[in-house]
Amino acid sequence: MSELAAIVTGANSGIGLPTARELARRGARVTVASRDPERGRAAVEGIRRDVPGADVTFGRLDLADLSSVREFAAGVERVDLLINNAGIGMIPRGETKDGFELQFGTNHLGHFALTGLLLPHLLAAPAPRVVNVASDAHKVGKLDFDDLGLERGYGKMTSYGRSKLANLLFTFELQRRARLAGSALLSVATHPGATATNFFSLGPFQPLLKLFLHSAEDGAVPSLYAATSPLIRGGEYLGPKSKPLRPSKDALDEALAARLWEISTELTGVRFQEFAHN
């Protein structure tokens, strides 16, 4: 893996950190993409301590700000593997810098834009992969294109589930378009399972509930498998222990995926130029 250039979003904590650390351990050149420079650089130093000689760097990326996404992408010279890992969830309603509902804007639109901007680099790689960290919470998600801002009613979980449904729809549509274009790119989605990370605020019950959750290292296993296994096929959805999962009916709706792609292109202003003819 010495020639592999990898980008892991949200790699300063949660499952992103062990994902980045293990890729570096296997010889990849890893970029830790994080919106927080202090925590991002601390993660880089931690990986370097754990993996002497690791080729790992920090890149500032705020997925809730499309100007930050464009700035980050403009600084990338090469990428073979993009792991869209960063995410927020179960938070009060908010908006991104560009005015999108915060969970949908960060978890989906930010990663959609990043992937599109990096697509020329990915397609120049011999065996490019995009891994999107989704969730089985997608099964509670519904897409209403007339109310993407959720102004008619906001729920923390329903908003999160909607963003994860978008992650899966994007994964499968990206694979379809890559296949139609004759590209070697593989697009894969994962579900890490419930992990004991700072993603969830468990309050006073945190010590007890953590007994029933996966460690961050265990949660990173599906992403690492999707990123490195020679057995991976594009369009797969992998869960804990890297076992294949069955997505919801909505997640497999090709018309819904195509419509989401169209809307996401309009909202972000990012076109996947190499796939534009499809």
Side-chain angles (χ1 to χ4, degrees):
M1 193 181 291
S2 59
E3 298 300 316
L4 183 72
I7 295 172
V8 184
T9 69
N12 60 278
S13 64
I15 67 173
L17 180 56
T19 299
R21 183 170 56 237
E22 183 57 28
L23 289 171
R25 195 186 309 279
R26 298 187 188 191
R29 175 159 54 90
V30 182
T31 298
V32 169
S34 169
R35 63 183 174 182
D36 187 324
E38 183 176 351
R39 294 177 66 193
R41 292 191 178 100
V44 167
E45 292 306 312
I47 293 172
R48 288 175 177 168
R49 286 193 300 271
D50 293 340
V51 186
D55 188 351
V56 56
T57 57
F58 165 74
R60 186 182 181 280
L61 171 65
D62 184 352
L63 291 161
D65 179 355
L66 290 178
S67 65
S68 174
V69 175
R70 290 182 180 276
E71 183 177 355
F72 174 86
V76 174
E77 296 181 355
R78 176 187 166 190
V79 58
D80 301 270
L81 168 65
L82 173 62
I83 301 184
N84 290 321
N85 163 83
I88 56 174
M90 273 63 80
I91 59 173
R93 190 186 185 283
E95 293 186 351
T96 69
K97 185 176 180 181
D98 303 280
F100 308 127
E101 187 273 313
L102 190 55
Q103 294 194 68
F104 183 75
T106 301
N107 297 351
H108 169 62
L109 291 176
H111 280 131
F112 176 91
L114 178 64
T115 307
L117 292 167
L118 294 180
L119 188 64
H121 296 298
L122 286 163
L123 296 185
R129 294 192 190 191
V130 176
V131 178
N132 294 312
V133 178
S135 168
D136 262 8
H138 79 274
K139 293 177 180 178
V140 303
K142 296 293 180 183
L143 278 172
D144 180 355
F145 293 113
D146 293 323
D147 187 28
L148 284 178
L150 294 181
E151 296 177 359
R152 298 174 189 167
Y154 179 85
K156 295 178 181 179
M157 184 60 186
T158 54
S159 171
Y160 177 66
R162 181 184 70 153
S163 73
K164 296 291 105 178
L165 172 60
N167 288 158
L168 281 173
L169 288 166
F170 171 51
T171 299
F172 302 147
E173 183 67 9
L174 178 60
Q175 185 60 55
R176 280 190 287 269
R177 292 179 183 237
R179 190 172 291 124
L180 285 172
S183 170
L185 183 144
L186 298 181
S187 177
V188 184
T190 64
H191 165 50
T195 58
T197 68
N198 59 4
F199 185 84
F200 295 103
S201 177
L202 304 176
F205 300 103
Q206 187 157 336
L208 176 61
L209 292 179
K210 278 192 173 183
L211 296 174
F212 302 96
L213 302 178
H214 299 299
S215 68
E217 287 73 17
D218 287 341
V221 168
S223 294
L224 288 165
Y225 184 78
T228 63
S229 173
L231 302 178
I232 287 296
R233 296 171 298 172
E236 288 192 274
Y237 177 41
L238 304 173
K241 300 183 180 179
S242 303
K243 293 182 178 179
L245 297 177
R246 176 71 178 175
S248 70
K249 181 179 178 180
D250 282 350
L252 297 172
D253 187 327
E254 294 188 16
L256 186 64
R259 178 61 176 151
L260 175 63
W261 188 285
E262 177 185 351
I263 291 293
S264 300
T265 299
E266 293 175 2
L267 292 175
T268 64
V270 174
R271 291 183 62 81
F272 286 55
Q273 295 294 344
E274 288 74 5
F275 298 157
H277 63 283
N278 295 317

